[in-house]
């Protein structure tokens, strides 16, 4: 009996140990399964947690994901890449599109006088200004209007020679005609010539008339001795108000000197400023839609008549001219305009603007690779409202992020291999 009791106690002890071993083994297995389960965000795969919850970046519920040993190694390799070169994401991708795009160049400018229509009023004789009929700058004059009277000793001598021939050698037609022609060349009109022949007395001055219609611009400034010493036909120095002329009665002018310039506001051009990146797109003959800022309702269409072959000093733009008739619209000279130039279509490889990030002089895109996006430098060309032309840096089969800005936050810094 004693042996039977001992045998039963040994059996019970062994059974209890087996049960404990089974329980402990089951618990370890469950713990191993649980430890192999992780939770990640569908929008941000880099967010990984060992328990359920919400994504700290977007607030979405974390999804359960079972990881194999190989998957863990692959994700680890991706995550240890530099964050300023590689981005883990599953956003939509696009490829370059080879097609022809219509490009409209926008430019600002102003209305200016057409200098091809500029007229010059010059003194044909040296002498003193006896009477000045133009009183202030930018005064409007008409063709044939008297501008001034000039007294000239040379003119007096030529008149006296003619009158002497008529009185003492009336049959010498050759000399008489030569004397008349000289007076005409000195600026005397046909009516004045007939008048002195009828009177038999010389006039003390000759009148200067304008052969042009427009606005008077002073071409010279008075020197200290009262002579017109500096003449220029430029439009620089236009004053804000119509002040009086520096040229006064009693001053002397010299033969051949330009006294006034006459600009016709009815014959004008639009001077547009074209930025350097748009210069290759602009050609003569292209249609331009122009909207004057002072009178938007007077918008009109013109064509490019001339492209200046140089950049003006201190300017980063090239100027183009659009000739137009301003006699009907009467737009103020110097007023600003906005314009759109309809250029010829351009064939190339294009991607949306939102796919490109500008880093100053460098442009980059996010190129699709296994596990995410890699920063890729590109060279760009022409631009439209929505697209950018790619010159170098991408192949037609390369997939890039449609929205590159989405992959960057305000504190990101993108670095390329060459930058």
């Amino acid at each position: 009996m004693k042996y039977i009791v001992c045998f039963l106690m040994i059996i019970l002890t062994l059974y209890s140990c087996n049960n404990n071993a089974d329980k402990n083994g089951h618990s370890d297995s469950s713990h191993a399964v649980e430890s192999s389960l992780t939770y990640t965000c569908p929008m941000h795969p880099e967010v990984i947690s060992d328990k359920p919850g919400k994504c700290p970046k977007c607030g979405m519920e974390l999804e359960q994901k079972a990881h194999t040993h190989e998957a863990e190694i692959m994700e680890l390799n991706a995550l240890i890449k530099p964050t300023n070169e590689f981005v883990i994401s599953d956003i939509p991708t696009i490829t370059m599109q080879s097609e022809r795009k219509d490009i409209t160049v926008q430019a600002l400018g102003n209305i200016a006088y057409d200098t091809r229509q500029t007229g010059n009023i010059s003194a044909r004789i040296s002498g003193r200004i006896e009477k000045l009929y133009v009183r202030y700058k930018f005064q409007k004059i008409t063709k044939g209007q008297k501008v001034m009277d000039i007294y000239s000793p040379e003119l007096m001598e030529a008149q006296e020679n003619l009158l002497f021939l008529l009185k003492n050698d009336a049959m010498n037609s050759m000399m008489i005609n030569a004397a008349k022609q000289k007076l005409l060349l000195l600026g005397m009109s046909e009516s004045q010539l007939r008048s002195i022949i009828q009177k038999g007395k010389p006039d003390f001055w000759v009148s200067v008339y304008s052969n042009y219609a427009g606005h008077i611009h002073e071409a010279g400034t008075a020197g200290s001795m009262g002579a017109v010493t500096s003449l220029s036909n430029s439009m620089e120095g236009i004053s804000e108000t119509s002040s009086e002329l520096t040229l006064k009665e009693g001053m002397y002018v010299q033969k051949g000197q330009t006294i006034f310039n006459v600009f016709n506001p009815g014959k004008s051009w639009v001077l547009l400023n074209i930025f350097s990146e748009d210069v290759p797109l602009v050609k003569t003959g292209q249609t331009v839609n122009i909207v004057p800022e002072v009178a938007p309702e007077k918008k009109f269409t013109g064509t490019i008549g001339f492209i200046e072959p140089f950049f003006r000093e201190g300017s980063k733009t090239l100027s183009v001219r659009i000739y137009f008739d301003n006699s009907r619209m009467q737009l103020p000279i110097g007023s600003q305009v906005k314009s759109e130039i309809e250029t010829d279509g351009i064939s190339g490889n294009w991607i949306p603007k939102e796919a490109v990030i500008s880093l100053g002089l460098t442009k980059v895109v996010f190129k699709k690779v296994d596990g995410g996006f890699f920063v890729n430098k590109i060279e760009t060309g022409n631009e439209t409202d929505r697209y950018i032309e790619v010159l170098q840096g991408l192949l037609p089969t390369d997939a890039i992020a449609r929205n590159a800005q989405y992959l960057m936050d305000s504190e990101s810094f993108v670095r390329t291999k060459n930058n």
Side-chain angles (χ1 to χ4, degrees):
M1 187 65 181
K2 181 177 178 181
Y3 294 104
I4 294 173
V5 171
C6 290
F7 179 74
L8 290 175
M9 291 180 64
I10 292 171
I11 292 174
L12 290 172
T13 302
L14 293 175
Y15 179 76
S16 176
C17 290
N18 288 335
N19 285 343
N20 289 336
D22 290 342
K23 290 179 181 181
N24 291 336
H26 178 72
S27 176
D28 292 342
S29 176
S30 299
H31 180 70
V33 172
E34 290 178 1
S35 64
S36 67
L37 296 178
T38 57
Y39 298 86
T40 183
C41 175
M43 295 297 295
H44 301 90
E46 67 272 18
V47 176
I48 299 175
S49 176
D50 58 354
K51 57 184 178 180
K54 293 186 177 181
C55 175
K57 292 187 176 182
C58 62
M60 293 183 64
E61 292 290 339
L62 300 180
E63 295 183 356
Q64 181 176 307
K65 182 178 180 181
H67 288 269
T68 64
H69 181 65
E70 294 180 355
E72 289 177 353
I73 293 176
M74 291 176 62
E75 290 191 2
L76 181 60
N77 290 335
L79 290 173
I80 63 176
K81 292 182 179 179
T83 56
N84 58 355
E85 293 182 3
F86 188 83
V87 180
I88 300 174
S89 180
D90 266 341
I91 68 171
T93 61
I94 58 168
T95 58
M96 290 190 303
Q97 300 296 319
S98 180
E99 56 185 340
R100 191 175 186 85
K101 295 285 187 183
D102 293 329
I103 298 180
T104 299
V105 174
Q106 296 183 345
L108 299 176
N110 62 282
I111 296 174
Y113 290 110
D114 186 346
T115 55
R116 301 175 306 170
Q117 309 296 328
T118 302
N120 299 322
I121 301 177
S122 302
R124 296 188 181 184
I125 54 175
S126 299
R128 183 180 68 246
I129 300 175
E130 290 294 319
K131 183 70 173 178
L132 193 61
Y133 298 97
V134 179
R135 293 297 182 182
Y136 54 88
K137 297 176 182 178
F138 320 122
Q139 181 175 339
K140 187 176 181 180
I141 62 173
T142 58
K143 185 176 181 179
Q145 180 176 335
K146 186 185 293 187
V147 175
M148 66 177 66
D149 294 330
I150 298 177
Y151 167 78
S152 171
E154 181 183 2
L155 183 65
M156 286 293 296
E157 182 181 351
Q159 293 180 82
E160 289 175 349
N161 287 340
L162 173 61
L163 294 174
F164 178 82
L165 289 172
L166 290 173
K167 183 177 180 180
N168 299 290
D169 196 2
M171 301 302 294
N172 192 346
S173 60
M174 181 179 295
M175 294 294 292
I176 292 174
N177 289 334
K180 290 180 179 179
Q181 188 65 31
K182 183 177 180 179
L183 287 171
L184 294 174
L185 292 174
L186 290 175
M188 185 170 285
S189 65
E190 292 278 358
S191 59
Q192 281 183 303
L193 183 57
R194 288 193 298 268
S195 175
I196 64 171
I197 292 174
Q198 290 175 0
K199 294 185 301 181
K201 294 181 180 181
D203 285 338
F204 291 100
W205 56 80
V206 63
S207 297
V208 178
Y209 297 89
S210 173
N211 292 325
Y212 311 95
H215 293 163
I216 280 287
H217 290 251
E218 195 169 23
T221 56
S224 59
M225 300 301 294
V228 179
T229 59
S230 176
L231 300 173
S232 171
N233 61 356
S234 68
M235 291 174 56
E236 297 180 5
I238 295 180
S239 61
E240 303 79 54
T241 59
S242 297
S243 58
E244 64 178 351
L245 299 170
T246 57
L247 196 66
K248 306 293 183 182
E249 294 174 353
M251 293 181 177
Y252 282 82
V253 293
Q254 311 230 347
K255 181 188 294 187
Q257 289 185 331
T258 301
I259 304 170
F260 294 112
N261 300 127
V262 182
F263 290 89
N264 185 358
K267 300 295 182 181
S268 308
W269 65 40
V270 175
L271 202 63
L272 296 180
N273 301 315
I274 308 298
F275 288 101
S276 56
E277 60 268 22
D278 295 328
V279 169
L281 305 176
V282 178
K283 300 176 182 178
T284 56
Q286 289 176 331
T287 301
V288 185
N289 299 314
I290 300 170
V291 180
E293 291 188 353
V294 295
E297 71 280 1
K298 294 183 179 180
K299 58 184 178 180
F300 61 96
T301 301
T303 57
I304 297 177
F306 182 75
I307 300 176
E308 295 185 356
F310 58 87
F311 285 86
R312 300 191 178 193
E313 185 178 356
S315 175
K316 295 183 179 179
T317 58
L318 196 70
S319 297
V320 301
R321 303 173 188 171
I322 295 91
Y323 306 111
F324 74 104
D325 187 356
N326 195 29
S327 57
R328 181 176 56 86
M329 292 183 284
Q330 294 294 312
L331 297 173
I333 300 298
S335 58
Q336 303 295 310
V337 298
K338 297 183 292 185
S339 70
E340 291 184 348
I341 303 174
E342 299 176 4
T343 65
D344 300 331
I346 296 179
S347 298
N349 296 315
W350 304 87
I351 58 176
K353 279 189 174 181
E354 58 267 21
V356 181
I357 293 178
S358 176
L359 305 177
L361 298 177
T362 303
K363 302 288 193 305
V364 298
V365 295
F366 284 94
K367 183 178 175 181
K368 181 69 175 179
V369 293
D370 293 337
F373 293 88
F374 198 87
V375 177
N376 188 76
K377 180 180 177 181
I378 62 172
E379 292 186 15
T380 61
N382 298 303
E383 296 186 16
T384 67
D385 293 338
R386 297 174 52 196
Y387 294 92
I388 296 179
E389 181 186 13
V390 178
L391 302 178
Q392 290 183 1
L394 283 180
L395 297 175
T397 56
D398 290 339
I400 62 173
R402 176 183 290 275
N403 191 342
Q405 195 64 41
Y406 180 79
L407 298 179
M408 296 181 60
D409 57 35
S410 60
E411 298 179 358
S412 296
F413 175 75
V414 178
R415 178 169 59 87
T416 64
K417 291 182 179 180
N418 299 323
N419 182 30

